[in-house]
Structure formats: C-alpha cells, structure tokens
Amino acid sequence: MKSVIESYTARVNDLQRVHNISPRKGAAASGEVFEQLIDDVVRQYPNLLSLKNDYLTVECDGHVMSNVQVDRHIRKNGSIQSVIESKCYLDACYCKRAVLDFIEIAESPEVSDNVDFVILCGQLTIAKDTYAYYQAFCKKHTGRNFKLFVLNEDKKRNSKRPLYKEKFTLDSYELGKFNDYIASF
C-alpha cells in the first residue's frame, strides 16, 4: 500500500501546478486522482483489471445504448466484479447520478446480480437523509445497496478548502478496507 499512498500524494502535490494552468483542468485532475488510486490498488492484483471506457450495452423497450459505463469496471477473467464511480467529493447531485448509472448498468446482460456497485470519494458533502434516500432508491431499483469508501482523513468537504490547496491525506484504515474489498475478488 506504500506505493499507492506515494502515488496519491505525488498526484495531489501536482494539483496546484495544474490548477495554476487552468482551474477547470485542476478540478478535473482532482477527480482523476481518485480514479488513478483505484487503478493503483487494483494493479496490485494481477488477476484483476481496472478498466476505463469499458462500455456496456443496455436495452429498454427496443431502444439500445452501447456506451454505458462508470469511471471504473473491475474485471476478473473477463467478468465484471464491481463497477466504481469515483469523485473527489460526494454531494447529492453526484450521488444521484451514480445511482442512476448503477440502475442503468444493472440492465446490462454482462452485469450479474452479484456485481457490486461502489462509490469511492475523498470527502462527503451530502446530507445523511439524502444519502439514505439514494441508498434506498438504488436498492429498490437494482436489488442491492451500493458500497461507499470515503478515503480522505478529513471526511467533510468545505468548498473553501479544495484538494489542491489542502492536500488531504488518505485515511489508511479506509484505504485498507478498500484494498481488502478489491482483494476479495
């Protein structure tokens, strides 16, 4: 896990430089820090793949979409084990979008009933009642709850303290839980 933490720290330390070039690119880079963290954890397990742009096909009433995906799909021997939406912070809007993506993904013939839905983020800014609603909504429409990993030591987001300025450190316990989750495949 040392290399995962070192890679995360190096990426976070580079965010100020990226933000100075373009605040918009800085915001995107903050989200990518967590996507790359997923890749770093999965890379420790040679039997697993963390895939971006791993498009799935879904159908509804004769209408087909062939570009359905979230940030990362974790595959083992070609089979999807987990779909992970990644955010720098989780607010109500991001949670809603993730749950709607999970509902859509659940319709793919490649996604069995035992595929996990996961949201991984650095911090939270979602109200407890809103979070509970979207957890229940996901369960109602997919038959399962999504898992949540909040990886920064400072769990509560403050918009005046962005990742590129504060350089939030990882919560080693929570990172360990995520690692154990990935290792369970």
Side-chain angles (χ1 to χ4, degrees), residues 4-157:
V4 171
I5 294 169
E6 288 171 351
S7 293
Y8 167 86
T9 303
R11 289 181 188 113
V12 169
N13 287 339
D14 192 46
L15 289 175
Q16 181 70 57
R17 181 191 63 77
V18 176
H19 179 79
N20 289 344
I21 294 168
S22 164
R24 185 178 191 105
K25 287 182 181 178
S30 292
E32 289 171 15
V33 163
F34 292 95
E35 290 180 36
Q36 293 167 341
L37 185 140
I38 295 166
D39 295 343
D40 290 343
V41 170
V42 172
R43 206 173 289 117
Q44 298 178 109
Y45 303 96
N47 61 330
L48 299 177
L49 290 174
S50 175
L51 300 173
K52 182 175 184 152
N53 300 325
D54 183 28
Y55 299 112
L56 305 174
T57 300
V58 295
E59 182 270 330
C60 182
D61 295 333
H63 303 280
V64 176
M65 285 191 34
S66 58
N67 63 346
V68 176
Q69 50 106 29
V70 292
D71 291 323
R72 293 295 187 272
H73 298 171
I74 310 305
R75 289 185 181 257
K76 179 179 182 179
N77 299 325
S79 294
I80 295 176
Q81 306 296 305
S82 178
V83 294
I84 305 176
E85 184 63 26
S86 169
K87 298 291 175 205
C88 188
Y89 63 89
L90 182 65
D91 66 6
C93 179
Y94 289 152
C95 190
K96 178 181 183 177
R97 190 170 83 197
V99 167
L100 291 175
D101 286 344
F102 295 155
I103 291 168
E104 194 170 48
I105 284 170
E107 296 296 315
S108 172
E110 283 194 73
V111 177
S112 68
D113 290 342
N114 56 357
V115 168
D116 290 327
F117 299 137
V118 176
I119 298 175
L120 180 139
C121 63
Q123 298 178 314
L124 298 173
T125 184
I126 187 170
K128 288 180 183 177
D129 289 346
T130 304
Y131 175 81
Y133 171 82
Y134 284 118
Q135 190 65 266
F137 194 76
C138 186
K139 175 84 172 181
K140 178 179 179 179
H141 292 282
T142 68
R144 61 201 116 165
N145 290 316
F146 60 86
K147 297 178 186 320
L148 176 67
F149 296 94
V150 184
L151 296 181
N152 287 142
E153 282 182 348
D154 190 340
K155 305 289 183 197
K156 184 84 170 122
R157 180 176 189 262

